[in-house]
Amino acid sequence: MSHRPFKQLIYPQFARIAQALASDRRLELLDLLAQAPRHVEALAAETEMSTANVSQHLQTLRAAHLVDSHRDGTRVVYRLAGEDVRSLWLLLRTVAEERLPEISRIVQQFDTTEAGTPLSRGEVMRLLTQDEITVLDVRPAIEFASGHIPGAISIDPAEMTLRLAKVPRDRPVLAYCRGAFCHFADEAVVLLRAEGCEAYRMDGGWLEWSIEAASGVPAAEGDRRP
């Protein structure tokens, strides 16, 4: 019996996911939704796209069952369809980072060396368990509200300079944001160190931390310590 009819039916279904992901703008939308649900207007403002373009990209993602939506008054709020989609985005990003030398060159071009070497998430967990560090979540407030490391202090990037001035300096400070390709935590660490504070950023970000917390399996990270 030939298996060809089965193959001809099943692989196009896999291709639906690949086709939905085959857009840099849709990947950026997935990255934002991995942090917190958002309405179309908020996504448009964050990505500097028109609401019409954002809506079109979201419909493509929804057709592939990668995002869901619900109404909140007059607005439509989008979210990832499940934890598996978050893991898919993280895996895609990790494979690209390992396989594409261009990514390393881009990261080096925009590297904030003043932020120093990140703390591994394992080391952060140890310090949190022993209550030896102050943790700052330097993502937008909507993302903090959607989920954060227990005990973290919310520092919205729009208020970073003002809010950092009030952070206690009696022990080391750790900042985290969306992940390796987000610079909010680097900026916070640079500002804190300029004022003489012992500060670090966490390797990875909320996405990796939340996946580990949900699954108990460490996401990819380097064992990097200061």
Side-chain angles (χ1 to χ4, degrees), residues 1-15:
M1 177 182 294
S2 173
H3 295 170
R4 183 50 40 197
F6 171 74
K7 301 293 187 181
Q8 290 174 333
L9 289 174
I10 200 68
Y11 281 99
Q13 299 305 313
F14 299 149

mmCIF file of all heavy atoms in Angstrom, residues 1-15:
data_model
loop_
_atom_site.group_PDB
_atom_site.id
_atom_site.type_symbol
_atom_site.label_atom_id
_atom_site.label_comp_id
_atom_site.label_asym_id
_atom_site.label_seq_id
_atom_site.Cartn_x
_atom_site.Cartn_y
_atom_site.Cartn_z
ATOM 1 N N MET A 1 0.849 -1.200 0.000
ATOM 2 C CA MET A 1 0.000 0.000 0.000
ATOM 3 C C MET A 1 0.882 1.246 0.000
ATOM 4 O O MET A 1 1.833 1.344 0.791
ATOM 5 C CB MET A 1 -0.903 0.003 1.239
ATOM 6 C CG MET A 1 -1.773 1.249 1.355
ATOM 7 S SD MET A 1 -2.789 1.244 2.845
ATOM 8 C CE MET A 1 -3.854 -0.152 2.482
ATOM 9 N N SER A 2 0.579 2.197 -0.857
ATOM 10 C CA SER A 2 1.360 3.431 -0.926
ATOM 11 C C SER A 2 0.992 4.380 0.213
ATOM 12 O O SER A 2 -0.179 4.539 0.554
ATOM 13 C CB SER A 2 1.111 4.130 -2.263
ATOM 14 O OG SER A 2 1.736 5.398 -2.263
ATOM 15 N N HIS A 3 2.036 4.964 0.820
ATOM 16 C CA HIS A 3 1.817 5.953 1.869
ATOM 17 C C HIS A 3 1.770 7.369 1.315
ATOM 18 O O HIS A 3 1.631 8.328 2.069
ATOM 19 C CB HIS A 3 2.930 5.857 2.906
ATOM 20 C CG HIS A 3 2.934 4.566 3.657
ATOM 21 N ND1 HIS A 3 3.970 4.198 4.479
ATOM 22 C CD2 HIS A 3 2.028 3.553 3.711
ATOM 23 C CE1 HIS A 3 3.714 3.010 5.013
ATOM 24 N NE2 HIS A 3 2.547 2.605 4.559
ATOM 25 N N ARG A 4 1.938 7.478 -0.001
ATOM 26 C CA ARG A 4 2.016 8.812 -0.607
ATOM 27 C C ARG A 4 0.778 9.667 -0.364
ATOM 28 O O ARG A 4 0.902 10.857 -0.040
ATOM 29 C CB ARG A 4 2.292 8.656 -2.109
ATOM 30 C CG ARG A 4 2.475 9.946 -2.888
ATOM 31 C CD ARG A 4 3.456 10.910 -2.281
ATOM 32 N NE ARG A 4 4.648 10.273 -1.732
ATOM 33 C CZ ARG A 4 5.476 10.862 -0.878
ATOM 34 N NH1 ARG A 4 5.233 12.092 -0.487
ATOM 35 N NH2 ARG A 4 6.532 10.231 -0.429
ATOM 36 N N PRO A 5 -0.459 9.138 -0.487
ATOM 37 C CA PRO A 5 -1.638 9.983 -0.215
ATOM 38 C C PRO A 5 -1.626 10.574 1.184
ATOM 39 O O PRO A 5 -2.008 11.728 1.381
ATOM 40 C CB PRO A 5 -2.806 9.009 -0.417
ATOM 41 C CG PRO A 5 -2.287 8.011 -1.398
ATOM 42 C CD PRO A 5 -0.839 7.813 -1.014
ATOM 43 N N PHE A 6 -1.186 9.773 2.166
ATOM 44 C CA PHE A 6 -1.102 10.277 3.545
ATOM 45 C C PHE A 6 -0.090 11.408 3.631
ATOM 46 O O PHE A 6 -0.358 12.462 4.224
ATOM 47 C CB PHE A 6 -0.711 9.139 4.483
ATOM 48 C CG PHE A 6 -0.391 9.592 5.884
ATOM 49 C CD1 PHE A 6 -1.396 9.978 6.754
ATOM 50 C CD2 PHE A 6 0.930 9.643 6.326
ATOM 51 C CE1 PHE A 6 -1.091 10.401 8.041
ATOM 52 C CE2 PHE A 6 1.237 10.058 7.608
ATOM 53 C CZ PHE A 6 0.223 10.442 8.464
ATOM 54 N N LYS A 7 1.091 11.210 3.036
ATOM 55 C CA LYS A 7 2.136 12.219 3.072
ATOM 56 C C LYS A 7 1.664 13.510 2.402
ATOM 57 O O LYS A 7 1.957 14.625 2.870
ATOM 58 C CB LYS A 7 3.400 11.721 2.370
ATOM 59 C CG LYS A 7 3.994 10.451 2.961
ATOM 60 C CD LYS A 7 4.549 10.675 4.350
ATOM 61 C CE LYS A 7 5.278 9.414 4.827
ATOM 62 N NZ LYS A 7 5.811 9.597 6.206
ATOM 63 N N GLN A 8 0.939 13.352 1.308
ATOM 64 C CA GLN A 8 0.484 14.524 0.562
ATOM 65 C C GLN A 8 -0.561 15.325 1.328
ATOM 66 O O GLN A 8 -0.761 16.504 1.051
ATOM 67 C CB GLN A 8 -0.066 14.093 -0.803
ATOM 68 C CG GLN A 8 1.015 13.589 -1.747
ATOM 69 C CD GLN A 8 0.453 13.028 -3.026
ATOM 70 O OE1 GLN A 8 -0.689 12.555 -3.064
ATOM 71 N NE2 GLN A 8 1.251 13.056 -4.083
ATOM 72 N N LEU A 9 -1.200 14.705 2.293
ATOM 73 C CA LEU A 9 -2.182 15.403 3.115
ATOM 74 C C LEU A 9 -1.573 15.974 4.390
ATOM 75 O O LEU A 9 -1.942 17.073 4.820
ATOM 76 C CB LEU A 9 -3.327 14.455 3.484
ATOM 77 C CG LEU A 9 -4.280 14.055 2.356
ATOM 78 C CD1 LEU A 9 -5.261 12.993 2.843
ATOM 79 C CD2 LEU A 9 -5.032 15.276 1.843
ATOM 80 N N ILE A 10 -0.636 15.243 5.009
ATOM 81 C CA ILE A 10 -0.165 15.650 6.331
ATOM 82 C C ILE A 10 0.872 16.763 6.275
ATOM 83 O O ILE A 10 0.861 17.690 7.097
ATOM 84 C CB ILE A 10 0.385 14.420 7.108
ATOM 85 C CG1 ILE A 10 0.427 14.707 8.601
ATOM 86 C CG2 ILE A 10 1.756 14.010 6.611
ATOM 87 C CD1 ILE A 10 -0.931 14.846 9.251
ATOM 88 N N TYR A 11 1.780 16.722 5.297
ATOM 89 C CA TYR A 11 2.849 17.722 5.283
ATOM 90 C C TYR A 11 2.347 19.142 4.984
ATOM 91 O O TYR A 11 2.890 20.111 5.541
ATOM 92 C CB TYR A 11 3.966 17.302 4.324
ATOM 93 C CG TYR A 11 4.869 16.270 4.943
ATOM 94 C CD1 TYR A 11 4.718 14.923 4.659
ATOM 95 C CD2 TYR A 11 5.855 16.641 5.856
ATOM 96 C CE1 TYR A 11 5.513 13.963 5.253
ATOM 97 C CE2 TYR A 11 6.663 15.691 6.462
ATOM 98 C CZ TYR A 11 6.488 14.347 6.165
ATOM 99 O OH TYR A 11 7.276 13.398 6.759
ATOM 100 N N PRO A 12 1.319 19.313 4.162
ATOM 101 C CA PRO A 12 0.784 20.666 4.007
ATOM 102 C C PRO A 12 0.250 21.258 5.313
ATOM 103 O O PRO A 12 0.266 22.486 5.499
ATOM 104 C CB PRO A 12 -0.331 20.486 2.976
ATOM 105 C CG PRO A 12 0.106 19.323 2.159
ATOM 106 C CD PRO A 12 0.748 18.401 3.144
ATOM 107 N N GLN A 13 -0.207 20.390 6.228
ATOM 108 C CA GLN A 13 -0.664 20.896 7.525
ATOM 109 C C GLN A 13 0.514 21.421 8.350
ATOM 110 O O GLN A 13 0.416 22.463 9.014
ATOM 111 C CB GLN A 13 -1.408 19.800 8.286
ATOM 112 C CG GLN A 13 -2.660 19.288 7.588
ATOM 113 C CD GLN A 13 -3.619 20.414 7.253
ATOM 114 O OE1 GLN A 13 -3.921 21.276 8.091
ATOM 115 N NE2 GLN A 13 -4.091 20.434 6.011
ATOM 116 N N PHE A 14 1.643 20.714 8.306
ATOM 117 C CA PHE A 14 2.847 21.219 8.979
ATOM 118 C C PHE A 14 3.280 22.540 8.352
ATOM 119 O O PHE A 14 3.720 23.463 9.046
ATOM 120 C CB PHE A 14 3.987 20.197 8.876
ATOM 121 C CG PHE A 14 3.700 18.864 9.512
ATOM 122 C CD1 PHE A 14 4.259 17.700 9.002
ATOM 123 C CD2 PHE A 14 2.869 18.764 10.614
ATOM 124 C CE1 PHE A 14 4.000 16.467 9.579
ATOM 125 C CE2 PHE A 14 2.600 17.536 11.203
ATOM 126 C CZ PHE A 14 3.168 16.385 10.685
ATOM 127 N N ALA A 15 3.131 22.609 7.026
ATOM 128 C CA ALA A 15 3.560 23.819 6.318
ATOM 129 C C ALA A 15 2.730 25.032 6.722
ATOM 130 O O ALA A 15 3.202 26.173 6.642
ATOM 131 C CB ALA A 15 3.465 23.602 4.809
#
